[in-house]
Amino acid sequence: MLKNLFLTTLLLCSATVSAESVFEVNLDPAPYSRTEARVQAMELVLNRLTGGRAQDSWVQDEARRDLSRYLQSEPTGPGYNAVFNEEELLALLKSAELPFSLTSRPTVLVWLSEEGRSRNEASRVWRRASSAYQIPLLWPLWDLEEHMTLDTRDLFDAKPLREASRRYGANYWLAVEQDATGGRWQLFGSAQEQPLLQGRLASGADTVTGLMARLNRYWVEKNEQRSALRPDNPMPIQPLLAKADASGELTIVVSGLHRYADSVLLERKLRQLDGVGAVYVVDSAGSQGRYRLSVPGSRAAVLQALTTITGLAVTGEREFSWAGGQHD
């Protein structure tokens, strides 16, 4: 009776992580700089949603540039806490055609052997890693009943591990063997005889966080959502004209902006040019956009710099064609 009550308590405790929103972040300890904390929290949310794919996409740079647009609130509490805007973030991911997942991560039963000794509770490192990727963890009792069927030396033997895991009700269990030089791990599922995933552990402070990130990528790949492809922007019936420039400005017209992502990528490249103070989208029509560049110095130098942007071709006086989406 007491053992069943203890198991129920463990299950309830493990569920607290999954109850949090994937858009809520707690960094504890937090970076000293609030700006750094905001960026770190944003990158973590993007990694949760995409399984790490955002790291190789322009969306991470775009989110950093306009953090206030995606940051909804910063609640008080220990460390740094942030809540991000679900609608804005999902719109960003869909514009980049990145798959993502909002599905709650399942509870994972962890069989951990550290230096040959079994662990039946989460250390601070494991709690932080579990919270970072919203993966609820359940820890076994490692009592006499389990030691009769499973020894720490047999953690990667699927049959005794399955037998010892049955009474915890988890659909997944993780076997981890860790020592000072690293270790190894395997993820098992109740419906499969063979490991679902396996790998090596590197030594270092972030090794458990890296393991949780790998599990998170697995859940995202299993449950990813993709937005329906939107038709490309057509060429406008009435083409845009560059028009006259005011002092300190340079207006250009760019064609070939077939997707929203093309406009974002181009704007980012324009902001990076030497001699450009700011970039404004004046208007757009179909696959064309008119951009106004603030040019405190030489207009000729900026026009020359425009020809060096990969994917941007000159088609006329202050007129260009964009094919950069093929290069990013």
Side-chain angles (χ1 to χ4, degrees), residues 18-272:
S18 60
E20 298 174 11
S21 166
V22 71
F23 297 95
E24 298 178 15
V25 177
N26 169 252
L27 303 178
D28 188 15
Y32 180 77
S33 164
R34 179 160 289 252
T35 299
E36 184 182 345
R38 286 169 175 160
V39 171
Q40 186 176 321
M42 167 64 77
E43 292 176 351
L44 178 57
V45 168
L46 289 174
N47 285 335
R48 284 178 184 171
L49 289 167
T50 67
R53 289 186 180 99
Q55 295 176 2
D56 303 318
S57 169
W58 55 266
V59 300
Q60 191 158 276
D61 289 336
E62 179 63 19
R64 285 197 204 101
R65 182 186 72 87
D66 200 6
L67 254 173
S68 59
R69 177 177 179 178
Y70 304 103
L71 182 61
Q72 183 171 300
S73 63
E74 295 175 302
T76 58
Y80 172 75
N81 298 278
V83 179
F84 290 90
N85 188 302
E86 176 177 350
E87 183 178 348
E88 291 287 353
L89 272 183
L90 294 186
L92 178 66
L93 295 178
K94 289 176 181 177
S95 70
E97 298 177 5
L98 277 180
F100 59 91
S101 175
L102 301 178
T103 305
S104 297
R105 283 35 172 175
T107 299
V108 179
L109 175 64
V110 181
W111 297 93
L112 172 61
S113 171
E114 286 184 332
E115 304 288 350
R117 297 187 297 274
S118 59
R119 292 292 301 265
N120 59 6
E121 62 180 354
S123 66
R124 181 174 176 80
V125 171
W126 280 88
R127 288 196 299 272
R128 287 178 57 194
S130 168
S131 175
Y133 285 95
Q134 301 289 287
I135 299 176
L137 302 179
L138 176 64
W139 294 81
L141 301 176
W142 276 106
D143 61 5
L144 180 62
E145 183 175 335
E146 276 146 12
H147 280 292
M148 290 174 65
T149 59
L150 180 67
D151 189 273
T152 54
R153 294 169 295 183
D154 301 321
L155 274 185
F156 298 93
D157 191 332
K159 185 176 179 180
L161 187 62
R162 182 178 297 274
E163 290 179 3
S165 301
R166 279 177 179 161
R167 63 179 178 142
Y168 292 93
N171 290 323
Y172 298 92
W173 43 89
L174 179 69
V176 182
E177 195 174 67
Q178 191 174 15
D179 56 34
T181 61
R184 59 176 176 149
W185 60 272
Q186 288 184 338
L187 177 70
F188 294 87
S190 59
Q192 291 82 22
E193 294 295 331
Q194 298 300 317
L196 300 172
L197 291 175
Q198 56 189 327
R200 302 293 303 179
L201 287 176
S203 59
D206 296 328
T207 184
V208 179
T209 301
L211 174 55
M212 292 298 108
R214 180 64 187 91
L215 296 186
N216 179 69
R217 183 160 75 248
Y218 176 73
W219 310 134
V220 171
E221 290 170 352
K222 279 191 63 174
N223 302 286
E224 63 186 26
Q225 301 168 236
R226 289 181 178 269
S227 56
L229 294 178
R230 292 175 289 184
D232 287 348
N233 295 329
M235 190 66 183
I237 298 175
Q238 186 67 38
L240 297 176
L241 301 176
K243 295 186 177 181
D245 287 324
S247 177
E249 293 179 351
L250 173 63
T251 305
I252 63 172
V253 171
V254 182
S255 302
L257 305 173
H258 297 297
R259 300 173 302 162
Y260 173 72
D262 292 322
S263 302
V264 174
L265 286 169
L266 175 59
E267 186 180 346
R268 178 155 58 92
K269 289 181 179 293
L270 293 175
R271 289 196 306 269
Q272 293 170 349

Side-chain angles (χ1 to χ4, degrees), residues 264-300:
V264 174
L265 286 169
L266 175 59
E267 186 180 346
R268 178 155 58 92
K269 289 181 179 293
L270 293 175
R271 289 196 306 269
Q272 293 170 349
L273 286 179
D274 289 338
V276 174
V279 177
Y280 307 94
V281 180
V282 180
D283 51 15
S284 61
S287 59
Q288 281 193 324
R290 182 158 45 211
Y291 293 83
R292 179 172 297 145
L293 283 58
S294 172
V295 182
S298 170
R299 283 163 40 92

Side-chain angles (χ1 to χ4, degrees), residues 1-17 107 120 137-139 141 167-168:
M1 180 68 180
L2 287 176
K3 183 176 290 185
N4 290 337
L5 180 60
F6 190 31
L7 285 173
T8 302
T9 303
L10 285 175
L11 286 168
L12 288 174
C13 290
S14 71
T16 58
V17 171
T107 299
N120 59 6
L137 302 179
L138 176 64
W139 294 81
L141 301 176
R167 63 179 178 142
Y168 292 93

